[in-house]
Amino acid sequence: MSYWFVDSVGGEEDVYYLLLRAFQISCAFVVGGELVFGSPYGSQSTYKGMFALNGRLIWILMELVSPVALLYSYYAMDTSIPENRSKAHSPIALAFCALWVVHYANRALVYPLRQASRKPMHVGIGLVSCVFNTLNGYLNGRWFSVFSNGLYSDDYFYTYTWQVVLGLCLFVLGMAGNIYHDNILMQLRRPADGTSNNRYLVPVGGLFAMVSCPHYFCEVVEWTGYALLTQSPAAWTFVLATLCNLLPRAYSIHKWYQHEFPKYPQNRKAMVPYVI
């Protein structure tokens, strides 16, 4: 896509593309860091020190940052952008923002509030996630409102018909798959009497027959669909960041399952069916 190589000039646009490139480059460090240090939250966390805070609250706060940053960036400071470079508040761009908000309404509120319990989380994990979500929301919000330079005109759906159709299908299927497999995991931690279960069990059903972390696979599918749908370099960067974050974590969880359960199914991959 040519948008990855736009020659930026002046003001915020220079900063925007600098941050976009830095975000892309940082993905390599995320992979390296997780392979060395792991991703210490959820089943992978044993920390109970003074910096461990309520896991549910931290999760809600750090996930809410993303839609807030996106909407603020989408609507903010439009008067500072020359009229010949701003196509802000396009109905199509607004629809794409709405899909983002729908995802995070589930991820930030519905998902954690439905969980029977959640382990304490190190405050540092929450702070890093807040920085990530702020930057990600800014990059996507400003692309939609300013730096897409009229991409989302009335003929967008006609110009990118197959990308829109395929992208929307992948987004919906990925989000549905993510919720479905999250529900399976929730049921394992919630016995019939409705109490919290502190023991981990081997999940079964759906794509768990093939991989240890189908909810992560579905999330990558969802955001890949979103990137196809929007034709946004910021969205494609989010796909890269999501993959670089979730793939090493899925590998760690996969190894943890194998260690904790000697009879764990040997045919399962970590995240991508038949691949890894």
Side-chain angles (χ1 to χ4, degrees):
M1 290 179 58
S2 60
Y3 300 111
W4 288 77
F5 306 102
V6 172
D7 292 329
S8 59
V9 289
E12 185 189 358
E13 189 169 29
D14 284 335
V15 176
Y16 179 88
Y17 284 102
L18 179 63
L19 289 173
L20 186 65
R21 302 303 189 273
F23 201 16
Q24 294 162 1
I25 293 170
S26 71
C27 292
F29 294 95
V30 171
V31 173
E34 289 199 16
L35 289 176
V36 174
F37 302 107
S39 49
Y41 64 91
S43 64
Q44 307 301 289
S45 174
T46 57
Y47 181 76
K48 298 180 180 179
M50 63 180 295
F51 295 108
L53 302 180
N54 184 289
R56 195 192 309 272
L57 178 60
I58 293 294
W59 181 274
I60 290 172
L61 292 176
M62 75 186 195
E63 292 295 307
L64 277 178
V65 166
S66 183
V68 170
L70 178 117
L71 292 176
Y72 179 80
S73 299
Y74 181 78
Y75 283 106
M77 301 178 292
D78 290 330
T79 56
S80 69
I81 305 299
E83 289 184 1
N84 64 344
R85 293 185 56 242
S86 178
K87 299 294 181 182
H89 306 163
S90 154
I92 295 173
L94 186 59
F96 294 155
C97 290
L99 290 178
W100 186 284
V101 172
V102 167
H103 168 89
Y104 278 100
N106 172 69
R107 204 68 189 151
L109 298 174
V110 177
Y111 167 71
L113 293 177
R114 291 183 62 230
Q115 288 182 303
S117 64
R118 189 170 190 91
K119 279 187 174 183
M121 185 181 298
H122 194 293
V123 66
I125 300 294
L127 291 175
V128 170
S129 297
C130 284
V131 171
F132 172 90
N133 285 330
T134 300
L135 179 58
N136 193 38
Y138 164 78
L139 290 172
N140 282 276
R142 293 308 271 172
W143 172 263
F144 289 139
S145 66
V146 178
F147 298 117
S148 53
N149 291 320
L151 174 65
Y152 304 118
S153 59
D154 293 341
D155 63 350
Y156 178 80
F157 291 150
Y158 297 100
T159 304
Y160 297 98
T161 302
W162 76 264
Q163 292 95 330
V164 167
V165 173
L166 178 59
L168 186 58
C169 289
L170 289 176
F171 180 84
V172 172
L173 288 174
M175 184 171 180
N178 186 277
I179 294 172
Y180 173 77
H181 292 99
D182 277 342
N183 285 341
I184 291 176
L185 292 173
M186 287 180 192
Q187 293 305 314
L188 292 179
R189 303 298 302 275
R190 185 184 293 112
D193 61 4
T195 61
S196 174
N197 180 2
N198 291 322
R199 296 183 301 109
Y200 285 93
L201 302 172
V202 176
V204 294
L207 290 178
F208 278 112
M210 304 171 68
V211 293
S212 296
C213 298
H215 46 316
Y216 293 166
F217 173 72
C218 289
E219 187 158 350
V220 172
V221 169
E222 179 184 358
W223 290 118
T224 299
Y226 191 81
L228 274 173
L229 178 63
T230 62
Q231 294 293 291
S232 163
W236 281 113
T237 300
F238 187 22
V239 174
L240 177 63
T242 301
L243 187 62
C244 289
N245 176 34
L246 295 185
L247 190 56
R249 177 167 171 79
Y251 181 76
S252 296
I253 291 174
H254 182 65
K255 292 299 182 184
W256 179 84
Y257 273 129
Q258 291 178 327
H259 177 266
E260 292 293 317
F261 303 98
K263 295 183 179 180
Y264 191 73
Q266 295 299 311
N267 62 320
R268 290 189 189 182
K269 298 295 185 180
M271 192 177 96
V272 183
Y274 305 112
V275 180
I276 185 171

